[in-house]
Amino acid sequence: MTTLPNFRSPDVLLDHARHTMRFYHPRAIDPQGGMYHYFKDDGAVYDATHRHLVSSTRFVFTYAMAYRHFQDPAYLEGLKHAVRFVREAHRAPDGDGYAWMLDGSKIEDGTQHAYGEAFVLLAYSHATMAGVEEARPWIGEAFELMERRFWSEADGLYADEASQDWSVLSTYRGQNANMHSVEALLAAHQATGEARYLERAYTVAYNITQRQAGRCGGLIWEHYDQAWQPDWKFNIDDPENLFRPWGYQPGHFTEWAKLLLLLEARAEGVLQKDLGWLLPTAERLFKVAVEQGWDSEHGGLCYSLAPSLEICDWHKYFWVQAESAAAAAMLAERTGNAYYWEWYDRIWAYSWTHMVDHQHGAWYRILDRENRKLSDEKSPAGKVDYHTMGAVYDIVAVLPKA
């Protein structure tokens, strides 16, 4: 039987982050600009030209966090290289939007996504916190773009998608873009100290996890119509859609739990608002995720739950395990309840045994129910192990307090 390391040791976790980062650095850096986005298990690049806004911005995050934790100048250079590509290749010349997908230097899909714009805001915020001062004014610029183009004061939430020229705003509404907006807004507040970002994060979090959840049995459904009423059929025939899967998402429940705890910690003594709902909501979401979503036979948290809360997609995704481990550690530290440490240890033991590639580095993206890989594509567009390294940094931040 494999001997497991001590997952409550910051040194063990940071060594794991270094190991993961070595999978991407320096092979991810494209000397012609930006980063390569498509990697096989052994690190081979299998598409050298395609670029996705989500990967481009998440590379900014991973390099910024690696530089802040390990102080390797090569990570700072990688960070600047990644930021430059977001700014010069994805950003529209007039600043009014960011291309979703590029083929080389050409726009392949210019659709405007709030999800993507949220990651732009996150990228600039983390670049700034890592010392790239030129990115500081871009934080406000990115926020104001989201406010102007996607924010609805009447709904108290962001819309989701628009055409490249902004002439058509989709009627689809989703929680995922709003969840990542909260993440980005918290980072913007951390980088700047400006209360407007925290205020907006609070509003979005409350409206998704309280008002919208109230329309969905107290839990967070993914998809809504233009009036923010739940759309129970959206993508029912495409349950594995990368950004808009059907079903309740245990991984999003635990990701929200993490964000609500971060919001509570940042807002204490800063916002004159009721914070009493944050911890109970985080605890409820986490418990439903792990108690309904855990595969008791093969281990791991499944991808999706039907409205009945029965598992409807048994696949094991890397990010679901990583975000859930981070949420467990943060809840354990916040509450002192051993229940959360037990889940933390269980999730890490599963992930270390099945998801982590100890030979080449990084995590496998997706396994079937019996924990077999579905392909040799470790990191297609959108992955870059932002979730796994980000979870490590979130955990390390609370371990000394615990």
Side-chain angles (χ1 to χ4, degrees):
M1 184 175 175
T2 305
T3 302
L4 297 173
N6 177 11
F7 297 117
R8 302 189 201 181
S9 163
D11 289 341
V12 165
L13 295 178
L14 290 173
D15 280 346
H16 176 57
R18 282 193 194 93
H19 188 255
T20 304
M21 196 65 190
R22 283 198 295 272
F23 177 82
Y24 292 99
H25 180 78
R27 67 164 57 98
I29 295 175
D30 180 355
Q32 304 303 313
M35 306 296 198
Y36 300 118
H37 289 191
Y38 295 84
F39 302 92
K40 296 285 191 180
D41 282 340
D42 63 1
V45 175
Y46 65 93
D47 183 334
T49 60
H50 195 256
R51 300 289 190 265
H52 198 298
L53 180 60
V54 176
S55 279
S56 291
T57 48
R58 286 178 174 181
F59 268 123
V60 175
F61 170 88
T62 59
Y63 272 86
M65 291 297 276
Y67 178 66
R68 289 172 68 191
H69 282 82
F70 308 124
Q71 295 297 301
D72 184 337
Y75 291 151
L76 180 60
E77 288 308 306
L79 164 60
K80 292 176 178 176
H81 186 80
V83 172
R84 194 176 307 121
F85 190 80
V86 171
R87 197 76 189 161
E88 296 176 0
H90 283 283
R91 181 175 177 265
D94 62 359
D96 196 20
Y98 287 79
W100 185 239
M101 287 191 282
L102 304 170
D103 186 6
S105 59
K106 297 177 185 175
I107 295 176
E108 180 181 286
D109 182 349
T111 308
Q112 308 288 351
H113 287 271
Y115 185 97
E117 313 285 353
F119 276 102
V120 171
L121 177 60
L122 184 84
Y124 291 155
S125 300
H126 279 280
T128 300
M129 287 188 278
V132 182
E133 276 299 314
E134 67 192 80
R136 187 174 295 276
W138 303 340
I139 298 171
E141 175 195 274
F143 173 68
E144 283 148 22
L145 173 64
M146 290 178 66
E147 292 291 293
R148 186 172 73 253
R149 292 302 193 177
F150 287 118
W151 181 252
S152 165
E153 195 64 39
D155 297 325
L157 291 168
Y158 293 102
D160 207 88
E161 178 185 321
S163 57
Q164 183 175 347
D165 64 0
W166 300 103
S167 61
V168 178
L169 186 68
S170 169
T171 58
Y172 172 84
R173 300 289 180 268
Q175 83 80 22
N176 198 10
N178 282 278
M179 181 185 73
H180 282 291
S181 295
V182 170
E183 176 191 22
L185 290 160
L186 289 171
H189 174 258
Q190 189 179 2
T192 66
E194 293 181 37
R196 61 176 175 159
Y197 301 123
L198 202 56
E199 294 269 1
R200 179 62 82 233
Y202 180 96
T203 299
V204 174
Y206 183 88
N207 286 338
I208 290 289
T209 70
Q210 304 304 300
R211 186 191 72 201
Q212 293 306 122
R215 298 172 180 175
C216 305
L219 298 173
I220 300 166
W221 190 248
E222 294 291 311
H223 312 296
Y224 301 86
D225 65 18
Q226 195 169 7
W228 278 100
Q229 293 301 316
D231 184 343
W232 300 101
K233 299 290 187 185
F234 187 88
N235 273 350
I236 194 168
D237 297 321
D238 186 16
E240 295 178 39
N241 186 281
L242 186 58
F243 297 113
R244 296 175 180 174
W246 182 79
Y248 287 120
Q249 295 286 298
H252 283 163
F253 289 3
T254 57
E255 205 166 351
W256 264 116
K258 183 184 85 169
L259 292 171
L260 295 177
L261 294 178
L262 288 172
L263 177 58
E264 181 192 50
R266 304 268 172 82
E268 189 74 48
V270 178
L271 296 186
Q272 302 305 309
K273 293 182 180 292
D274 172 25
L275 306 180
W277 55 274
L278 289 159
L279 177 60
T281 304
E283 290 198 272
R284 184 177 76 252
L285 289 170
F286 181 89
K287 286 178 180 178
V288 172
V290 297
E291 292 176 6
Q292 301 295 138
W294 186 260
D295 182 346
S296 58
E297 185 177 351
H298 299 286
L301 287 159
C302 74
Y303 192 47
S304 302
L305 304 174
S308 64
L309 298 185
E310 294 177 290
I311 294 173
C312 61
D313 186 339
W314 289 89
H315 287 119
K316 317 293 170 56
Y317 281 73
F318 78 103
W319 67 267
V320 178
Q321 322 307 319
E323 293 292 348
S324 300
M330 292 169 69
L331 280 162
E333 185 278 323
R334 174 67 178 81
T335 66
N337 188 340
Y339 168 88
Y340 297 111
W341 283 127
E342 290 165 9
W343 274 109
Y344 174 81
D345 291 336
R346 185 177 300 149
I347 295 164
W348 258 119
Y350 169 81
S351 301
W352 196 258
T353 303
H354 297 289
M355 303 292 311
V356 176
D357 183 343
H358 298 285
Q359 179 183 359
H360 298 295
W363 291 36
Y364 301 120
R365 190 178 81 89
I366 180 173
L367 307 177
D368 69 8
R369 185 180 179 188
E370 296 177 359
N371 302 316
R372 297 169 298 205
K373 288 188 302 170
L374 298 191
S375 80
D376 65 351
E377 294 177 4
K378 178 175 284 166
S379 189
K383 183 170 180 276
V384 314
D385 278 76
Y386 130 91
H387 281 285
T388 60
M389 288 186 278
V392 164
Y393 301 131
D394 284 335
I395 295 164
V396 167
V398 301
L399 280 176
K401 291 184 279 186

